[in-house]
Amino acid sequence: MSKIKHNELDDLMVILRKQTCGQNLSKTARTLLSSPRNTIIWSVNSCYYCHFGVRVGLTEVLEVEQNQINNFNISIKISTDGLPLSNSSTSELWPIMGCIVHSSVVFIIGVYHGYSKPDNANEFLQDFFVEITDLINNGFVYKEALHSISIYCFTCDTPARSFITMTKGHAGYYSCSKCCQEGEYIDHRMCFPNVTNSVLRTDNCYINQEYGDYQLDYMHLVCIGVTRKIMALWLAGKPAYKIVHLPTKKI
């Protein structure tokens, strides 16, 4: 039933209710599925957050892919990022999403809406933190089977990761996540020209929150960062950098 659209289920209910055996069936899919009439939403300073729940998402995924997920140890990947809704306003969404490792189904854990990103990461993640802590400590019961729950990773770009970890952003002087080298602001950019014999960061120092940053962001640094700049120079840059004798496909 989870793969049937609600409007298709409504049409099916009309047909079944005409039969003698189906006269007591519900008229709509929402009634049949017992969809909640009210949703718990908390608001702070004209901003709203709705928590759907990790348990609800896990149940939906296991119903769809129960034949593919037979392991009683479930690892979850968590992701969050800002999503602008309009070009004419600052309205944006910050969804918290989850995905079981080795599964292609993504489920919504919670959604924040406001006209700026959440002011406080602790408040933004509070409902998720309470629920996931309970699941990690006590497990998740599905069809009378107890599954252990763990967080596999958090998938965020650099700004979102800096926000949820409350650490220094990628433009900070100590924004290198691999070493303790202090950066230099050169030509409107943060650079790290002297990395010889730099002190490497350690896991214990991260755990003790001694640093002001986090791990590298592949998307911004490579896909739309350095690589994008290099490609632009090769294809349309100054003559000193432009590779005019090679076809675009080879580049």
Side-chain angles (χ1 to χ4, degrees):
M1 184 177 294
S2 60
K3 295 183 179 180
I4 301 177
K5 297 180 180 179
H6 281 204
N7 59 342
E8 296 174 350
L9 184 56
D10 290 341
D11 296 337
L12 178 61
M13 299 303 292
V14 173
I15 298 174
L16 293 177
R17 282 175 57 84
K18 295 179 180 179
Q19 308 300 320
T20 304
C21 60
Q23 293 179 354
N24 295 326
L25 291 176
S26 305
K27 292 183 178 181
T28 64
R30 289 185 297 178
T31 305
L32 179 65
L33 299 174
S34 300
S35 299
R37 298 287 182 177
N38 299 313
T39 303
I40 300 176
I41 300 176
W42 59 258
S43 61
V44 178
N45 298 328
S46 300
C47 301
Y48 300 92
Y49 176 81
C50 177
H51 188 72
F52 299 100
V54 181
R55 288 183 176 86
V56 175
L58 289 176
T59 301
E60 293 177 351
V61 173
L62 291 176
E63 288 179 352
V64 175
E65 299 189 348
Q66 57 183 342
N67 296 328
Q68 301 180 21
I69 303 175
N70 298 319
N71 194 345
F72 289 99
N73 300 317
I74 299 177
S75 295
I76 307 174
K77 295 182 287 186
I78 306 298
S79 175
T80 185
D81 197 3
L83 175 66
L85 297 180
S86 173
N87 293 328
S88 59
S89 72
T90 58
S91 176
E92 60 180 289
L93 289 179
W94 277 75
I96 303 175
M97 298 169 288
C99 178
I100 298 177
V101 176
H102 305 308
S103 171
S104 59
V105 180
V106 177
F107 57 91
I108 299 295
I109 298 173
V111 177
Y112 164 93
H113 173 264
Y115 292 90
S116 64
K117 72 177 183 181
D119 294 330
N120 189 296
N122 288 331
E123 293 181 356
F124 171 58
L125 298 171
Q126 176 64 27
D127 292 339
F128 163 73
F129 172 77
V130 171
E131 185 180 16
I132 197 65
T133 301
D134 178 64
L135 289 173
I136 292 174
N137 293 334
N138 302 315
F140 169 68
V141 178
Y142 176 73
K143 291 186 177 180
E144 300 182 355
L146 181 63
H147 300 262
S148 64
I149 302 297
S150 63
I151 295 180
Y152 181 78
C153 68
F154 282 84
T155 305
C156 309
D157 61 9
T158 295
R161 186 173 59 238
S162 299
F163 166 66
I164 66 173
T165 57
M166 294 188 289
T167 54
K168 192 177 297 296
H170 60 283
Y173 281 96
Y174 290 92
S175 58
C176 178
S177 62
K178 298 299 182 181
C179 68
C180 299
Q181 172 68 37
E182 181 181 3
E184 296 182 20
Y185 199 67
I186 303 174
D187 194 18
H188 306 291
R189 294 174 177 83
M190 186 58 61
C191 304
F192 298 88
N194 303 313
V195 294
T196 305
N197 299 324
S198 297
V199 178
L200 298 179
R201 302 184 186 273
T202 64
D203 292 339
N204 290 332
C205 291
Y206 270 112
I207 294 173
N208 296 328
Q209 297 183 349
E210 297 181 12
Y211 299 139
D213 47 49
Y214 213 55
Q215 61 184 353
L216 296 176
D217 178 12
Y218 173 79
M219 182 181 73
H220 284 89
L221 292 178
V222 178
C223 298
I224 60 175
V226 176
T227 303
R228 181 181 179 182
K229 290 182 179 179
I230 292 176
M231 295 295 291
L233 289 173
W234 285 349
L235 296 176
K238 297 179 181 179
Y241 308 102
K242 188 174 181 180
I243 304 177
V244 295
H245 61 280
L246 289 179
T248 304
K249 290 185 178 180
K250 287 189 176 182
I251 297 177

